[in-house]
């Protein structure tokens, strides 16, 4: 959950060989009090690190968090002519502050904007475990300058040196302004990104004033360009942040020990009624979202069924949302919200009658991108399902982070699928920019179809075990032979009408069905049959029966249509896969035939060459014999000549 802030400031201080984050002012309104972030920290000595994968992730998350709290159109070109100077003229309502053309109730009723920004900040803090971070603390502070409330997010991670902070807040960053290397130094930095400042001063570019300090015998100003620029940045931050002097800014570093980051979010957004969108008073250990997300019925159900409380409150409660945000959580790290630790909650522990289903994704070309890429889907009934509570859906994580909580894939109205919860981690999908959904791809569509099938299969196999009536389930012992007689059809339809009421929460099911063979099957309750359909009209009314049958028929047709579409997609995938494999087989066979021909040709050449060589050897041997005979004759003649000469 993320605070809808206007402007923000941040301050950071560091220990030897390290740096800390500064005041970052992120503005979303042009009112008298400017909402924002204030951060600060100190860091241990670290190697030179201006980039890398971790730095890029942090930069992306900082920009994502800023995008979630800034008004629509914030990064668009600013108007050339500034409005007349003066404050308290611009709305503090998110959908009126920028270029948003949609309906306010649609945006204000969606918690993803709040969830996204808070989750990005928590992600950054959790990433710092590798740099020694042990906690992230979220609390409420008073803006003494304007008499309003602010949100503080602080951790004891590695912090950021001046260049890395500018890289993360890359709007307005220039490599030409780099100063000497800060490796081995203890530094602290302060920066501000303010929407109000930019609008009211008529800036055409995004300007992010930042100032830095380094520790010698005392905290010394680090000048990156000129002293005048440094003083101008300080004056701008003091004017547009919650702090009235340089001394107050530096005081923010006192709460940070050896290393860390401190972020302050101030001048929070208001709703149509002029109240803050975030509610700090409903629960002194929580931060909640006002509006339609905080449904009183869900709050009452959370109290009535505490085992399932997270599912009813995560949309409006930061504590509830943060507790299920990560599938796995390091034991050395703590999340603290308003003085009370957030207990990590593993949703799998809420389930009973669990099944494990292995899902192996198929990529676009019909072949798996990684033969080891599989997803273990855990599916089961939530422990309070026997009370027929109205919750269902899949909690989908990506690389340990919750992306889609309670994703309802089986969308038919009624009780079908009620109480079924699934948990899975899908690293083969790509999250959307705000990490509150996935990019719409074929892989996601195939996963959705498979999850629907999993939930339907689990429901029809197990719904009778928690008190739901399922005449099609043979395992339940409720097998009906033949067709129910007309005299009892209204009883079956009454039960079905009751089950299709999404808001119904029966304490005990009351079901009686009589087949044409006269066999009566009763459930646990013998309180009697329902006499009407819930609307005061007798179910024996033929028109009502026909209407119910028509509705059921339409629903079944729709289900059949969706199943056919799903099967058609699967068939096309299999056909494409089969075609690809067939083509590969034909190519291999062609290559094999070519190789065989080449082998035969080589054998022929080798045989011919060997015959030629054998013939050549034989000829040479014959010539050698003839030469030997000639030499012997010559030797004999020579000996005869010598004998004649002596005599």
């Amino acid at each position: 959950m993320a605070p809808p802030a206007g402007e923000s400031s941040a301050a950071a201080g560091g220990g030897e060989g390290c740096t800390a984050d500064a005041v970052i002012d992120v503005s979303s309104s042009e009112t008298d009090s400017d909402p924002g972030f204030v951060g600060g920290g100190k860091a241990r000595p670290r190697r030179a690190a201006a980039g890398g994968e971790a730095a890029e992730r942090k930069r992306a998350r900082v920009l994502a968090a800023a995008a979630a709290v800034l008004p629509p159109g914030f990064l668009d070109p600013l108007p050339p002519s500034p409005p007349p100077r003066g404050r308290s003229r611009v709305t503090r309502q998110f959908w009126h502050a920028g270029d948003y053309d949609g309906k306010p109730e649609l945006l204000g009723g969606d918690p993803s904007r709040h969830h996204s920004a808070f989750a990005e900040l928590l992600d950054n803090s959790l990433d710092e475990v590798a740099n020694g971070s042990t906690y992230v603390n979220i609390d409420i502070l008073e803006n003494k300058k304007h008499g309003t409330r602010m949100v503080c997010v602080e951790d004891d991670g590695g912090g950021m040196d001046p260049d890395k902070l500018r890289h993360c807040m890359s709007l307005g960053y220039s490599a030409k302004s780099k100063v000497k290397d800060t490796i081995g130094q203890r530094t602290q930095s302060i920066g501000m990104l303010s929407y109000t400042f930019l609008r009211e001063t008529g800036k055409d570019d995004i300007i992010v004033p930042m100032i830095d300090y380094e520790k010698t015998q005392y905290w010394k100003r680090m000048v990156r360009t000129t002293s005048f620029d440094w003083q101008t940045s300080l004056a701008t931050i003091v004017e547009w942040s919650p702090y009235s002097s340089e001394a107050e800014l530096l005081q923010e570093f006192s709460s940070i020990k050896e290393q860390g980051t401190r972020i302050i979010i101030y001048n929070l957004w208001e709703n149509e009624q002029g109240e803050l969108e975030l509610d700090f008073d409903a629960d002194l250990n929580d931060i909640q979202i006002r509006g339609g997300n905080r449904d009183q019925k869900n709050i009452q159900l959370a109290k009535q069924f505490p085992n399932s409380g997270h599912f009813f409150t995560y949309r409006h409660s930061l504590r509830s949302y943060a507790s299920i945000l990560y599938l796995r959580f390091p034991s050395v790290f703590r999340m603290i919200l308003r003085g009370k630790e957030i207990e990590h909650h593993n949703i799998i522990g809420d389930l009973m009658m669990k099944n494990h289903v292995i899902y192996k994704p198929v990529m676009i070309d019909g072949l798996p991108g990684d033969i080891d890429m599989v997803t273990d889907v855990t599916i089961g009934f939530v422990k309070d399902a026997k009370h027929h509570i109205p919750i269902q859906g899949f909690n989908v994580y990506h690389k340990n982070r919750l992306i889609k909580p309670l994703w309802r894939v089986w969308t038919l109205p009624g009780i079908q699928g009620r109480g079924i919860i699934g948990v899975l981690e899908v690293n083969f999908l790509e999250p959307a920019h705000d990490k509150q959904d996935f990019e719409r791809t074929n892989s996601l569509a195939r996963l959705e179809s498979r999850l629907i099938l999993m939930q339907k299969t689990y429901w029809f196999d197990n719904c009778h075990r928690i008190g739901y009536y399922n005449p099609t389930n043979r395992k339940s012992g409720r097998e009906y032979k033949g067709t129910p007689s007309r005299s009892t059809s209204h009883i079956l339809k009454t039960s079905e009408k009751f089950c299709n009421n999404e808001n119904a929460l029966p304490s005990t099911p009351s079901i009686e069905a009589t087949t044409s063979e006269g066999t009566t099957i009763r459930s646990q309750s013998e309180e009697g049959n329902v006499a009407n359909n819930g609307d005061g009209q007798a179910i024996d009314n033929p028109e009502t029966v026909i209407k119910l049958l028509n509705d059921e028929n339409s629903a079944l047709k729709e289900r059949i249509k969706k199943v056919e579409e799903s099967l058609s997609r699967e068939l096309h995938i299999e056909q494409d896969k089969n075609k690809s494999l067939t083509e590969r087989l034909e190519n291999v066979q062609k290559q094999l035939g070519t190789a065989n021909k080449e082998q035969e040709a080589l054998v022929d050449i080798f045989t011919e060459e060997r015959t030629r060589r054998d013939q050549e050897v034989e000829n040479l041997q014959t010539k050698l014999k003839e030469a030997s005979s000639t030499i012997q004759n010559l030797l004999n003649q020579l000996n005869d000549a010598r004998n004649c000469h002596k005599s």
Side-chain angles (χ1 to χ4, degrees):
M1 199 169 66
E7 347 248 326
S8 60
S9 316
E16 181 180 357
C18 65
T19 59
D21 307 337
V23 179
I24 306 171
D25 190 2
V26 181
S27 172
S28 300
S29 68
E30 301 177 5
T31 56
D32 186 38
S33 57
D34 295 334
F37 301 140
V38 178
K42 304 176 182 178
R44 293 190 294 267
R46 300 164 67 184
R47 297 180 180 176
E53 184 178 352
E56 287 300 326
R57 286 202 307 269
K58 174 171 281 190
R59 175 178 178 274
R61 286 171 179 163
V62 168
L63 294 180
V69 301
L70 295 174
F74 173 72
L75 299 181
D76 294 342
L78 296 174
S81 302
R85 188 59 186 268
R87 306 190 187 175
S88 301
R89 293 188 313 280
V90 178
T91 178
R92 291 178 62 183
Q93 295 168 358
F94 185 85
W95 47 86
H96 292 156
D99 299 329
Y100 178 69
D101 296 326
K103 296 182 179 180
E105 60 270 17
L106 296 180
L107 184 58
D110 184 2
S112 63
R113 175 166 55 92
H114 304 273
H115 287 346
S116 176
F118 264 129
E120 296 292 349
L121 296 175
L122 292 174
D123 287 347
N124 282 341
S125 296
L126 187 61
D127 278 350
E128 289 298 310
V129 170
N131 294 319
S133 180
T134 61
Y135 74 88
V136 57
N137 183 35
I138 303 175
D139 213 338
I140 307 302
L141 301 179
E142 179 185 357
N143 184 344
K144 297 180 180 179
K145 190 174 183 178
H146 302 121
T148 56
R149 286 176 164 179
M150 309 184 296
V151 176
C152 171
V153 181
E154 178 180 334
D155 65 44
D156 61 344
M160 292 182 283
D161 61 27
D163 282 333
K164 186 179 291 185
L165 179 62
R166 283 162 174 77
H167 182 68
C168 288
M169 302 293 295
S170 59
L171 299 174
Y173 173 65
S174 173
K176 295 180 180 179
S177 64
K178 288 185 178 180
V179 294
K180 62 182 182 179
D181 202 341
T182 58
I183 298 176
Q185 289 181 292
R186 181 177 179 181
T187 63
Q188 57 188 27
S189 303
I190 298 173
M192 182 181 76
L193 174 60
S194 169
Y195 176 77
T196 300
F197 158 66
L198 296 173
R199 291 298 296 266
E200 293 202 3
T201 56
K203 303 295 183 186
D204 293 328
D205 298 321
I206 305 298
I207 305 299
V208 184
M210 295 187 185
I211 56 178
D212 310 295
Y213 299 85
E214 63 177 330
K215 184 64 176 292
T216 53
Q217 294 179 346
Y218 57 92
W219 285 109
K220 176 184 176 182
R221 296 176 177 179
M222 295 178 62
V223 179
R224 300 178 69 89
T225 53
T226 66
S227 297
F228 177 77
D229 289 341
W230 199 100
Q231 291 288 354
T232 301
S233 296
L234 173 62
T236 303
I237 293 173
V238 168
E239 180 178 1
W240 298 96
S241 76
Y243 304 97
S244 301
S245 66
E246 182 181 7
E248 287 189 14
L249 287 170
L250 292 175
Q251 183 63 29
E252 287 299 315
F253 296 107
S254 62
S255 65
I256 302 174
K257 297 179 181 178
E258 292 299 322
Q259 60 183 22
T261 303
R262 183 175 172 86
I263 299 174
I264 303 296
I265 309 168
Y266 60 100
N267 201 22
L268 306 174
W269 294 108
E270 294 179 350
N271 57 23
E272 292 280 0
Q273 291 73 38
E275 300 175 311
L276 292 179
E277 287 186 343
L278 298 182
D279 186 352
F280 306 114
D281 300 321
D283 187 338
L284 297 182
N285 295 122
D286 197 4
I287 297 176
Q288 299 187 359
I289 305 175
R290 299 182 193 273
N293 299 310
R294 191 169 61 178
D295 181 78
Q296 292 300 320
K297 178 182 177 181
N298 286 338
I299 294 176
Q300 182 60 38
L301 288 172
K303 294 179 179 178
Q304 185 178 357
F305 306 107
N307 289 333
S308 308
H310 296 80
F311 304 117
F312 293 113
T313 58
Y314 79 92
R315 290 177 59 84
H316 70 265
S317 167
L318 173 59
R319 178 172 294 277
S320 179
Y321 174 70
S323 69
I324 61 175
L325 184 60
Y326 303 105
L327 187 60
R328 299 170 296 276
F329 198 74
S331 59
V332 297
F333 191 77
R334 296 189 303 153
M335 294 187 294
I336 304 170
L337 176 58
R338 303 187 71 180
K340 183 179 179 180
E341 184 172 355
I342 298 175
E343 296 183 5
H344 174 247
H345 188 84
N346 191 328
I347 298 176
I348 295 178
D350 294 333
L351 306 183
M352 61 180 182
M353 308 179 194
K354 290 180 283 192
N355 281 356
H356 293 274
V357 183
I358 300 299
Y359 173 71
K360 194 166 190 176
V362 178
M363 310 316 290
I364 298 177
D365 60 359
L367 299 173
D370 183 350
I371 59 174
D372 296 323
M373 185 185 295
V374 296
T375 296
D376 185 0
V377 183
T378 303
I379 187 171
F381 280 114
V382 70
K383 292 179 180 177
D384 291 318
K386 58 183 178 297
H387 300 290
H388 299 185
I389 57 177
I391 58 172
Q392 62 171 294
F394 288 86
N395 298 274
V396 188
Y397 290 80
H398 175 268
K399 295 183 178 179
N400 195 45
R401 161 83 123 76
L402 180 62
I403 303 297
K404 288 180 74 69
L406 284 186
W407 180 23
R408 184 165 178 175
V409 295
W410 193 5
T411 57
L412 285 179
I415 54 90
Q416 292 93 341
R418 179 182 283 186
I420 296 178
I421 299 296
V423 180
L424 64 155
E425 183 176 20
V426 289
N427 297 332
F428 56 88
L429 296 178
E430 189 66 26
H433 70 282
D434 61 356
K435 293 187 180 179
Q436 298 298 305
D437 203 343
F438 289 100
E439 297 290 348
R440 307 302 299 181
T441 61
N442 291 333
S443 296
L444 179 63
R446 286 193 290 269
L447 173 64
E448 182 176 5
S449 298
R450 190 59 57 87
L451 293 180
I452 293 174
L453 180 60
M454 289 182 194
Q455 187 174 4
K456 287 181 178 180
T457 301
Y458 185 88
W459 169 261
F460 290 116
D461 286 347
N462 298 282
C463 67
H464 63 281
R465 300 174 65 184
I466 58 169
Y468 287 108
Y469 172 63
N470 181 15
T472 65
N473 193 311
R474 298 174 181 271
K475 296 180 181 179
S476 65
R478 297 174 180 173
E479 179 181 353
Y480 295 88
K481 300 180 180 179
T483 304
S485 64
R486 181 173 181 179
S487 63
T488 58
S489 294
H490 69 282
I491 300 176
L492 292 175
K493 293 300 178 182
T494 300
S495 176
E496 182 174 340
K497 177 71 176 179
F498 173 76
C499 290
N500 283 332
N501 184 359
E502 181 67 25
N503 297 321
L505 284 173
S507 57
T508 54
S510 178
I511 304 169
E512 179 177 332
T514 306
T515 68
S516 58
E517 296 178 348
T519 303
T520 301
I521 302 177
R522 299 179 182 271
S523 66
Q524 301 173 12
S525 175
E526 297 291 343
E527 296 178 358
N529 297 328
V530 180
N532 57 65
N533 65 356
D535 297 327
Q537 181 180 3
I539 200 67
D540 287 326
N541 188 323
E543 295 181 357
T544 302
V545 174
I546 292 173
K547 184 178 183 302
L548 289 175
L549 290 173
N550 287 335
D551 291 343
E552 182 181 3
N553 186 49
S554 298
L556 289 173
K557 286 181 179 179
E558 184 66 24
R559 288 173 58 186
I560 292 172
K561 181 180 178 181
K562 290 184 177 180
V563 171
E564 288 177 346
E565 292 175 352
S566 176
L567 292 176
S568 177
R569 287 195 297 268
E570 294 290 339
L571 178 60
H572 285 309
I573 292 172
E574 293 299 326
Q575 287 175 341
D576 292 341
K577 183 177 178 181
N578 182 62
K579 182 179 179 181
S580 175
L581 292 174
T582 301
E583 292 176 352
R584 290 174 60 184
L585 178 60
E586 291 176 354
N587 291 334
V588 171
Q589 288 176 340
K590 290 180 181 178
Q591 293 174 3
L592 181 60
T594 302
N596 287 334
K597 291 180 180 179
E598 292 177 352
Q599 183 181 13
E600 291 175 358
L602 289 173
V603 170
D604 292 341
I605 293 173
F606 178 77
T607 302
E608 182 180 348
E609 180 66 19
R610 185 166 184 176
T611 302
R612 186 187 64 80
R613 288 180 60 186
D614 290 345
Q615 185 64 40
E616 184 177 355
V617 169
E618 185 177 352
N619 293 337
L620 290 174
Q621 289 176 344
T622 301
K623 290 180 180 180
L624 180 61
K625 290 180 180 179
E626 292 176 352
S628 298
S629 178
T630 302
I631 291 172
Q632 186 64 41
N633 291 333
L634 290 173
L635 288 174
N636 292 337
Q637 293 176 8
L638 179 62
N639 290 331
D640 292 342
R642 286 176 179 175
N643 292 332
C644 290
H645 179 70
K646 288 180 180 181
S647 60

